[in-house]
Amino acid sequence: MDLSFSPQELAFQAEVRAFISKALPKDIAARVADGSGPTRDDMHNWHAILNDKGWLGGTWPAAHGGCDWGPIKLHIFEEESALANAPRIVPFGLKMLAPVLMKFGSAAQQSELLPRILDGRDWWCQGYSEPGAGSDLASLKTRAERDGDHYIVNGQKTWTTYGQYANRIFCLVRTRSDGKPQAGISFLLIDLDTPGVEMRPIRLIEGGFEVNEVFFTDVRVPVANLVGAENDGWTIAKYLLGHERTNIAGTGFSVQALAQIKALARTVKRNGKPLIENPLFAARLAETEAELEAMKITNLRMLSKAAAGGQLGAEPSMLKIKGTVIRQSLNDLARRALGPAAAPFPSEDLDNLAITPPNHSHNAADYFNNRKISIYGGSNEIQRNILAKGMMTR
């Protein structure tokens, strides 16, 4: 199998590299590199820069303001962005809700909402998980009861990433309680400034505030905000989760992290020699790199299938498992390379000895924060069950 880029793809890679080098503000790249960012404004500003270039909706159809990028161009763009320390593209509007609207939304929803995602007027967050319905999503209890031209929504969502920055949320709500649990779920769009919505931040183990709880008390939502048919939300949810799990793989972030660890291992010394010459560390590094290369190929295969109109089955589950395990392995390798400097609160004595290399002071926070990636989007245990069922029913 020839995995090399074509001349046209190499030209696109050079174009992306040149654009990012010129357009990405140095202060934003520095905050991403040292782990102190990106901030909300960093992500918003980078989105605006990409939108001005016309690249924000890279894989969107041209009819909706996109570039019609295929999987190879998307792979190149994400890898070059990560290597340049560009902020991540927040996926909730661009990569999760937008494909849902294009496939299931009405013409009015598409014409109103898709441009607002691109130009940054709307920051969407996701309302899937609940205190008693995370991996078992069909058990969700947030209810939406019809009252004329509105639904009345009551319930609670949790682990809502970047909800504190968002002005809108897409939610799975229960609109029927009889029959199979999956048959009574609908997909609803809710403005977060509607009376009865309350957002509460959750402090994470590394000390940051990234996720939230959302409470809904008698929230009136227009019926026009329903996407697809009532009680058909489970079909939409599975479609969206396929996009989420593919994005969770985070191939570009792993490529960037691997490059950082290699650079670090060439600098740090053990027993008078660079750490990268330590046989045990080198073997661990090589094993992780081989896994990453295999995942990159798998990622391209799945993206090609999706771009050709193929229905993804259990494949995104495999990508989600491998991608999250590799990212956590890279976090672990970085901590092994840093040694005592990887402690969450290094002592002042270590600071005085200047043993913490530049851009690695947030390593502990990254390590603890990324413990969650094998849980959200459907835990890896659930993904293994999906894979097993897929194999058994063939």
Side-chain angles (χ1 to χ4, degrees):
M1 183 184 293
D2 183 7
L3 297 176
S4 57
F5 290 140
S6 69
Q8 293 79 13
E9 289 159 355
L10 287 172
F12 178 71
Q13 183 184 47
E15 181 184 2
V16 171
R17 193 172 294 171
F19 170 74
I20 294 177
S21 175
K22 181 178 179 181
L24 177 61
K26 298 293 185 291
D27 58 331
I28 293 179
R31 283 191 286 275
V32 173
D34 69 15
S36 62
T39 65
R40 184 264 183 200
D41 287 344
D42 290 342
M43 291 183 279
H44 183 78
N45 292 339
W46 183 233
H47 279 207
I49 291 169
L50 290 176
N51 190 40
D52 288 343
K53 176 66 174 175
W55 283 359
L56 186 57
T59 57
W60 288 21
H64 292 302
C67 303
D68 275 322
W69 282 351
I72 304 298
K73 282 191 171 181
L74 175 63
H75 172 79
I76 290 171
F77 174 78
E78 290 188 341
E79 188 166 301
E80 292 299 324
S81 297
L83 288 172
N85 294 309
R88 66 180 295 205
I89 292 179
V90 181
F92 305 109
L94 283 159
K95 297 185 176 182
M96 294 165 66
L97 178 61
V100 163
L101 292 174
M102 292 175 197
K103 187 173 180 66
F104 301 97
S106 66
Q109 288 170 337
Q110 292 175 3
S111 62
E112 177 196 354
L113 299 177
L114 292 176
R116 295 175 64 93
I117 293 174
L118 282 180
D119 65 22
R121 280 178 288 170
D122 286 338
W123 184 311
W124 287 90
C125 58
Q126 183 184 32
Y128 270 28
S129 295
E130 298 182 1
S135 297
D136 183 16
L137 201 53
S139 299
L140 66 88
K141 291 183 171 53
T142 296
R143 296 191 59 81
E145 297 176 310
R146 188 74 177 262
D147 180 25
D149 293 334
H150 288 77
Y151 288 104
I152 309 299
V153 179
N154 284 281
Q156 177 187 355
K157 299 292 179 180
T158 192
W159 308 126
T160 306
T161 303
Y162 293 146
Q164 71 272 35
Y165 303 146
N167 64 321
R168 290 187 167 186
I169 183 170
F170 52 88
C171 283
L172 291 179
V173 295
R174 184 157 299 287
T175 42
R176 200 178 76 190
S177 56
D178 58 325
K180 291 179 61 178
Q182 293 88 346
I185 293 172
S186 298
F187 193 98
L188 206 56
L189 310 177
I190 302 176
D191 290 342
L192 287 173
D193 61 1
T194 308
V197 179
E198 182 183 2
M199 186 79 63
R200 297 180 188 172
I202 300 173
R203 189 180 183 89
L204 295 178
I205 189 172
E206 89 283 7
F209 293 97
E210 186 177 277
V211 297
N212 303 265
E213 296 175 290
V214 192
F215 295 86
F216 302 91
T217 305
D218 294 331
V219 177
R220 295 183 65 82
V221 181
V223 172
N225 286 16
L226 177 72
V227 178
E230 187 174 278
N231 299 319
D232 201 24
W234 189 249
T235 300
I236 300 174
K238 289 191 294 182
Y239 181 80
L240 185 148
L241 283 171
H243 285 270
E244 181 185 19
R245 287 167 188 161
T246 303
N247 290 322
I248 286 173
T251 304
F253 295 112
S254 293
V255 170
Q256 186 244 16
L258 179 67
Q260 281 190 339
I261 292 170
K262 284 184 174 179
L264 178 64
R266 293 188 186 97
T267 305
V268 174
K269 292 191 175 182
R270 296 284 192 276
N271 301 318
K273 293 182 178 179
L275 180 61
I276 203 164
E277 296 179 12
N278 179 287
L280 181 57
F281 186 86
R284 285 172 169 156
L285 189 63
E287 181 181 6
T288 304
E289 185 170 12
E291 293 278 355
L292 176 56
E293 288 301 311
M295 188 186 70
K296 287 164 64 178
I297 296 169
T298 304
N299 191 32
L300 287 172
R301 284 174 39 225
M302 292 187 188
L303 290 172
S304 295
K305 184 177 179 180
Q311 182 68 38
L312 297 180
E315 294 96 330
S317 297
M318 181 168 55
L319 201 59
K320 195 266 182 178
I321 294 169
K322 294 301 297 183
T324 54
V325 169
I326 288 171
R327 288 177 69 184
Q328 290 176 343
S329 296
L330 289 165
N331 288 142
D332 180 63
L333 277 171
R335 286 175 58 78
R336 290 176 183 275
L338 287 167
F345 306 103
S347 71
E348 292 181 356
D349 291 339
L350 294 181
D351 286 341
N352 292 334
L353 291 173
I355 67 168
T356 303
N359 295 340
H360 289 280
S361 59
H362 289 76
N363 180 269
D366 292 342
Y367 175 87
F368 288 116
N369 188 281
N370 276 345
R371 295 298 90 191
K372 71 179 186 296
I373 62 177
S374 54
I375 301 173
Y376 68 47
S379 72
N380 284 8
E381 288 77 10
I382 293 294
Q383 305 313 313
R384 292 186 178 96
N385 285 342
I386 293 173
L387 281 173
K389 287 180 181 176
M391 294 173 67
M392 294 292 287
T393 55
R394 284 182 178 175

PDB file of all heavy atoms in Angstrom, residues 59-77:
ATOM      1  N   THR A  59     -14.355  20.464   5.691  1.00  0.00           N
ATOM      2  CA  THR A  59     -15.010  19.283   5.119  1.00  0.00           C
ATOM      3  C   THR A  59     -16.474  19.533   4.773  1.00  0.00           C
ATOM      4  O   THR A  59     -17.122  18.649   4.240  1.00  0.00           O
ATOM      5  CB  THR A  59     -14.927  18.105   6.096  1.00  0.00           C
ATOM      6  OG1 THR A  59     -15.518  18.487   7.342  1.00  0.00           O
ATOM      7  CG2 THR A  59     -13.473  17.700   6.337  1.00  0.00           C
ATOM      8  N   TRP A  60     -16.992  20.707   5.102  1.00  0.00           N
ATOM      9  CA  TRP A  60     -18.385  21.005   4.762  1.00  0.00           C
ATOM     10  C   TRP A  60     -18.539  21.075   3.233  1.00  0.00           C
ATOM     11  O   TRP A  60     -17.604  21.470   2.525  1.00  0.00           O
ATOM     12  CB  TRP A  60     -18.806  22.351   5.332  1.00  0.00           C
ATOM     13  CG  TRP A  60     -19.008  22.425   6.804  1.00  0.00           C
ATOM     14  CD1 TRP A  60     -18.493  21.588   7.754  1.00  0.00           C
ATOM     15  CD2 TRP A  60     -19.775  23.420   7.495  1.00  0.00           C
ATOM     16  NE1 TRP A  60     -18.898  21.997   8.996  1.00  0.00           N
ATOM     17  CE2 TRP A  60     -19.682  23.114   8.867  1.00  0.00           C
ATOM     18  CE3 TRP A  60     -20.514  24.522   7.095  1.00  0.00           C
ATOM     19  CZ2 TRP A  60     -20.313  23.891   9.840  1.00  0.00           C
ATOM     20  CZ3 TRP A  60     -21.141  25.298   8.058  1.00  0.00           C
ATOM     21  CH2 TRP A  60     -21.046  24.973   9.415  1.00  0.00           C
ATOM     22  N   PRO A  61     -19.711  20.758   2.729  1.00  0.00           N
ATOM     23  CA  PRO A  61     -19.960  20.965   1.290  1.00  0.00           C
ATOM     24  C   PRO A  61     -19.868  22.450   0.942  1.00  0.00           C
ATOM     25  O   PRO A  61     -20.200  23.317   1.758  1.00  0.00           O
ATOM     26  CB  PRO A  61     -21.398  20.445   1.116  1.00  0.00           C
ATOM     27  CG  PRO A  61     -21.648  19.560   2.290  1.00  0.00           C
ATOM     28  CD  PRO A  61     -20.850  20.130   3.425  1.00  0.00           C
ATOM     29  N   ALA A  62     -19.442  22.723  -0.282  1.00  0.00           N
ATOM     30  CA  ALA A  62     -19.323  24.122  -0.717  1.00  0.00           C
ATOM     31  C   ALA A  62     -20.665  24.839  -0.637  1.00  0.00           C
ATOM     32  O   ALA A  62     -20.721  26.050  -0.388  1.00  0.00           O
ATOM     33  CB  ALA A  62     -18.773  24.162  -2.139  1.00  0.00           C
ATOM     34  N   ALA A  63     -21.757  24.102  -0.845  1.00  0.00           N
ATOM     35  CA  ALA A  63     -23.085  24.717  -0.799  1.00  0.00           C
ATOM     36  C   ALA A  63     -23.406  25.305   0.565  1.00  0.00           C
ATOM     37  O   ALA A  63     -24.246  26.200   0.689  1.00  0.00           O
ATOM     38  CB  ALA A  63     -24.145  23.677  -1.166  1.00  0.00           C
ATOM     39  N   HIS A  64     -22.725  24.837   1.595  1.00  0.00           N
ATOM     40  CA  HIS A  64     -22.945  25.351   2.955  1.00  0.00           C
ATOM     41  C   HIS A  64     -21.768  26.208   3.432  1.00  0.00           C
ATOM     42  O   HIS A  64     -21.634  26.459   4.633  1.00  0.00           O
ATOM     43  CB  HIS A  64     -23.172  24.194   3.924  1.00  0.00           C
ATOM     44  CG  HIS A  64     -24.461  23.452   3.707  1.00  0.00           C
ATOM     45  ND1 HIS A  64     -25.693  24.064   3.743  1.00  0.00           N
ATOM     46  CD2 HIS A  64     -24.709  22.142   3.430  1.00  0.00           C
ATOM     47  CE1 HIS A  64     -26.653  23.180   3.517  1.00  0.00           C
ATOM     48  NE2 HIS A  64     -26.082  22.002   3.313  1.00  0.00           N
ATOM     49  N   GLY A  65     -20.903  26.624   2.519  1.00  0.00           N
ATOM     50  CA  GLY A  65     -19.792  27.493   2.904  1.00  0.00           C
ATOM     51  C   GLY A  65     -18.515  26.763   3.218  1.00  0.00           C
ATOM     52  O   GLY A  65     -17.585  27.351   3.779  1.00  0.00           O
ATOM     53  N   GLY A  66     -18.436  25.493   2.864  1.00  0.00           N
ATOM     54  CA  GLY A  66     -17.229  24.720   3.145  1.00  0.00           C
ATOM     55  C   GLY A  66     -16.300  24.619   1.956  1.00  0.00           C
ATOM     56  O   GLY A  66     -16.481  25.318   0.953  1.00  0.00           O
ATOM     57  N   CYS A  67     -15.298  23.740   2.086  1.00  0.00           N
ATOM     58  CA  CYS A  67     -14.280  23.579   1.048  1.00  0.00           C
ATOM     59  C   CYS A  67     -14.369  22.229   0.345  1.00  0.00           C
ATOM     60  O   CYS A  67     -13.565  21.960  -0.547  1.00  0.00           O
ATOM     61  CB  CYS A  67     -12.876  23.708   1.653  1.00  0.00           C
ATOM     62  SG  CYS A  67     -12.550  25.237   2.516  1.00  0.00           S
ATOM     63  N   ASP A  68     -15.265  21.368   0.800  1.00  0.00           N
ATOM     64  CA  ASP A  68     -15.352  20.022   0.225  1.00  0.00           C
ATOM     65  C   ASP A  68     -14.044  19.245   0.373  1.00  0.00           C
ATOM     66  O   ASP A  68     -13.693  18.453  -0.500  1.00  0.00           O
ATOM     67  CB  ASP A  68     -15.762  20.075  -1.257  1.00  0.00           C
ATOM     68  CG  ASP A  68     -17.267  20.147  -1.426  1.00  0.00           C
ATOM     69  OD1 ASP A  68     -17.973  19.481  -0.650  1.00  0.00           O
ATOM     70  OD2 ASP A  68     -17.726  20.880  -2.329  1.00  0.00           O
ATOM     71  N   TRP A  69     -13.313  19.503   1.457  1.00  0.00           N
ATOM     72  CA  TRP A  69     -12.074  18.744   1.659  1.00  0.00           C
ATOM     73  C   TRP A  69     -12.387  17.262   1.793  1.00  0.00           C
ATOM     74  O   TRP A  69     -13.346  16.861   2.456  1.00  0.00           O
ATOM     75  CB  TRP A  69     -11.368  19.185   2.947  1.00  0.00           C
ATOM     76  CG  TRP A  69     -10.627  20.469   2.840  1.00  0.00           C
ATOM     77  CD1 TRP A  69     -10.357  21.194   1.716  1.00  0.00           C
ATOM     78  CD2 TRP A  69     -10.048  21.189   3.932  1.00  0.00           C
ATOM     79  NE1 TRP A  69      -9.655  22.329   2.039  1.00  0.00           N
ATOM     80  CE2 TRP A  69      -9.447  22.348   3.390  1.00  0.00           C
ATOM     81  CE3 TRP A  69      -9.977  20.971   5.306  1.00  0.00           C
ATOM     82  CZ2 TRP A  69      -8.781  23.279   4.178  1.00  0.00           C
ATOM     83  CZ3 TRP A  69      -9.321  21.901   6.107  1.00  0.00           C
ATOM     84  CH2 TRP A  69      -8.724  23.043   5.542  1.00  0.00           C
ATOM     85  N   GLY A  70     -11.550  16.451   1.197  1.00  0.00           N
ATOM     86  CA  GLY A  70     -11.628  15.020   1.411  1.00  0.00           C
ATOM     87  C   GLY A  70     -10.844  14.642   2.665  1.00  0.00           C
ATOM     88  O   GLY A  70     -10.264  15.491   3.347  1.00  0.00           O
ATOM     89  N   PRO A  71     -10.795  13.341   2.964  1.00  0.00           N
ATOM     90  CA  PRO A  71     -10.138  12.896   4.200  1.00  0.00           C
ATOM     91  C   PRO A  71      -8.649  13.182   4.246  1.00  0.00           C
ATOM     92  O   PRO A  71      -8.104  13.449   5.324  1.00  0.00           O
ATOM     93  CB  PRO A  71     -10.426  11.390   4.228  1.00  0.00           C
ATOM     94  CG  PRO A  71     -10.775  11.029   2.838  1.00  0.00           C
ATOM     95  CD  PRO A  71     -11.422  12.224   2.241  1.00  0.00           C
ATOM     96  N   ILE A  72      -7.976  13.139   3.099  1.00  0.00           N
ATOM     97  CA  ILE A  72      -6.526  13.367   3.111  1.00  0.00           C
ATOM     98  C   ILE A  72      -6.230  14.831   3.450  1.00  0.00           C
ATOM     99  O   ILE A  72      -5.345  15.130   4.264  1.00  0.00           O
ATOM    100  CB  ILE A  72      -5.903  13.011   1.749  1.00  0.00           C
ATOM    101  CG1 ILE A  72      -6.251  11.566   1.376  1.00  0.00           C
ATOM    102  CG2 ILE A  72      -4.389  13.201   1.798  1.00  0.00           C
ATOM    103  CD1 ILE A  72      -5.725  10.533   2.331  1.00  0.00           C
ATOM    104  N   LYS A  73      -6.978  15.750   2.825  1.00  0.00           N
ATOM    105  CA  LYS A  73      -6.748  17.168   3.121  1.00  0.00           C
ATOM    106  C   LYS A  73      -7.060  17.476   4.590  1.00  0.00           C
ATOM    107  O   LYS A  73      -6.346  18.247   5.232  1.00  0.00           O
ATOM    108  CB  LYS A  73      -7.599  18.047   2.195  1.00  0.00           C
ATOM    109  CG  LYS A  73      -7.026  18.173   0.786  1.00  0.00           C
ATOM    110  CD  LYS A  73      -7.748  19.257  -0.002  1.00  0.00           C
ATOM    111  CE  LYS A  73      -7.038  19.523  -1.329  1.00  0.00           C
ATOM    112  NZ  LYS A  73      -7.695  20.573  -2.117  1.00  0.00           N
ATOM    113  N   LEU A  74      -8.129  16.865   5.110  1.00  0.00           N
ATOM    114  CA  LEU A  74      -8.454  17.082   6.520  1.00  0.00           C
ATOM    115  C   LEU A  74      -7.332  16.562   7.410  1.00  0.00           C
ATOM    116  O   LEU A  74      -6.928  17.227   8.371  1.00  0.00           O
ATOM    117  CB  LEU A  74      -9.761  16.367   6.876  1.00  0.00           C
ATOM    118  CG  LEU A  74     -10.158  16.423   8.351  1.00  0.00           C
ATOM    119  CD1 LEU A  74     -10.409  17.854   8.792  1.00  0.00           C
ATOM    120  CD2 LEU A  74     -11.389  15.559   8.629  1.00  0.00           C
ATOM    121  N   HIS A  75      -6.819  15.390   7.078  1.00  0.00           N
ATOM    122  CA  HIS A  75      -5.720  14.808   7.853  1.00  0.00           C
ATOM    123  C   HIS A  75      -4.500  15.736   7.826  1.00  0.00           C
ATOM    124  O   HIS A  75      -3.877  15.992   8.862  1.00  0.00           O
ATOM    125  CB  HIS A  75      -5.365  13.443   7.268  1.00  0.00           C
ATOM    126  CG  HIS A  75      -4.136  12.831   7.857  1.00  0.00           C
ATOM    127  ND1 HIS A  75      -4.137  12.189   9.077  1.00  0.00           N
ATOM    128  CD2 HIS A  75      -2.855  12.772   7.413  1.00  0.00           C
ATOM    129  CE1 HIS A  75      -2.932  11.757   9.352  1.00  0.00           C
ATOM    130  NE2 HIS A  75      -2.128  12.093   8.363  1.00  0.00           N
ATOM    131  N   ILE A  76      -4.164  16.241   6.649  1.00  0.00           N
ATOM    132  CA  ILE A  76      -3.010  17.144   6.520  1.00  0.00           C
ATOM    133  C   ILE A  76      -3.230  18.409   7.347  1.00  0.00           C
ATOM    134  O   ILE A  76      -2.357  18.850   8.094  1.00  0.00           O
ATOM    135  CB  ILE A  76      -2.772  17.495   5.031  1.00  0.00           C
ATOM    136  CG1 ILE A  76      -2.249  16.261   4.288  1.00  0.00           C
ATOM    137  CG2 ILE A  76      -1.798  18.668   4.899  1.00  0.00           C
ATOM    138  CD1 ILE A  76      -2.194  16.445   2.778  1.00  0.00           C
ATOM    139  N   PHE A  77      -4.424  19.002   7.220  1.00  0.00           N
ATOM    140  CA  PHE A  77      -4.705  20.246   7.939  1.00  0.00           C
ATOM    141  C   PHE A  77      -4.608  20.044   9.453  1.00  0.00           C
ATOM    142  O   PHE A  77      -3.987  20.857  10.157  1.00  0.00           O
ATOM    143  CB  PHE A  77      -6.100  20.764   7.580  1.00  0.00           C
ATOM    144  CG  PHE A  77      -6.531  21.955   8.376  1.00  0.00           C
ATOM    145  CD1 PHE A  77      -6.047  23.215   8.065  1.00  0.00           C
ATOM    146  CD2 PHE A  77      -7.395  21.822   9.454  1.00  0.00           C
ATOM    147  CE1 PHE A  77      -6.418  24.323   8.817  1.00  0.00           C
ATOM    148  CE2 PHE A  77      -7.779  22.909  10.203  1.00  0.00           C
ATOM    149  CZ  PHE A  77      -7.293  24.171   9.892  1.00  0.00           C
TER     150      PHE A  77
END
